[in-house]
Amino acid sequence: VERCADFLANMSHEIRTPLNGVLGMLDLALEGELEHSQRDRLEIAHNAGASLLGLLNDILDISKVEAGKLNLEIIPFNLRRLIEECATLHAEQARRKGIDLVAEIEPALAEQFLGDPTRTRQVINNLLSNAIKFTETGSVRISAHQGKGKVQLDIIDTGIGMSAEGLDRIFSPFSQADDDTTRLYGGTGLGLTLCRQLVERMHGHIKLESEPDQGTHFTVQL
């Protein structure tokens, strides 16, 4: 397993370097004067490249976790600001779908916590992106409160939800709730696997509750 993880990590690094070069050239091309059809084609290529880069980053992180080589920071950071930044990042994605994105942060939340802000941000961004992706109407809410030495994050959506069978497999690599989900929405199923691994690596817990057509509720305790 460790040799396989090392291979994936090395290959991800090797592929990311030229891919970043391709994305950089596409960025430059998009800055120039283009016909509408040319811009559309370049934007499609750029979006496809960005999706591939995201996939490679997930593979790299998962392989690091499985090889025991993912080093976490323990530094002070402002969780309130981090959540607000994540919500702002996804606001346009939610607006385009016509759904509300709401951040509800407990007023008494401490100004600073010790931990890894980069990995915490990664978990929140993954869960928010996932919630918006599978919600067609209604809202996505993220809330935060603390107590008993823990911080709890809740990400609740009014989306498609999933069956009991889907709940059993949702955290497995390259798996989604069912084949229809993959066909209709795409994706690799790596995002939630990475979330679970990162949360557990930070000595936390992640769980979810869901029913078909009744939305999904993720709870993360750190």
Side-chain angles (χ1 to χ4, degrees), residues 20-59:
N20 276 317
V22 171
L23 289 173
M25 290 298 101
L26 287 171
D27 282 331
L28 288 175
L30 285 166
E31 290 177 5
E33 293 186 7
L34 299 166
E35 295 179 3
H36 181 72
S37 60
Q38 292 175 323
R39 182 170 298 278
D40 283 346
R41 291 166 185 163
L42 287 174
E43 286 179 348
I44 290 170
H46 189 278
N47 290 337
S51 296
L52 179 56
L53 184 59
L55 172 60
L56 289 171
N57 286 336
D58 284 348
I59 292 173

Side-chain angles (χ1 to χ4, degrees), residues 83 87 101-105 124 128 140-144 154-156:
I83 293 171
L101 176 57
V102 182
E104 299 172 334
I105 305 172
I124 293 172
L128 282 179
V140 171
R141 294 177 179 272
I142 177 170
S143 65
D154 293 278
I155 293 88
I156 304 170

Side-chain angles (χ1 to χ4, degrees), residues 52-128:
L52 179 56
L53 184 59
L55 172 60
L56 289 171
N57 286 336
D58 284 348
I59 292 173
L60 180 59
D61 282 335
I62 288 173
S63 65
K64 282 182 178 179
V65 173
E66 292 181 348
K69 295 179 179 179
L70 182 73
N71 296 318
L72 296 176
E73 290 185 303
I74 304 178
I75 60 174
F77 70 98
N78 187 311
L79 180 61
R80 179 188 304 276
R81 185 179 304 133
L82 190 151
I83 293 171
E84 290 172 347
E85 289 171 356
C86 291
T88 300
L89 176 67
H90 292 283
E92 177 61 20
Q93 180 189 1
R95 189 196 65 78
R96 286 199 305 267
K97 296 192 71 175
I99 61 176
D100 295 323
L101 176 57
V102 182
E104 299 172 334
I105 305 172
E106 183 181 67
L109 194 72
E111 285 300 308
Q112 282 195 332
F113 290 92
L114 279 176
D116 190 321
T118 301
R119 299 305 178 183
T120 302
R121 183 189 303 274
Q122 200 168 358
V123 170
I124 293 172
N125 279 335
N126 256 319
L127 292 178
L128 282 179

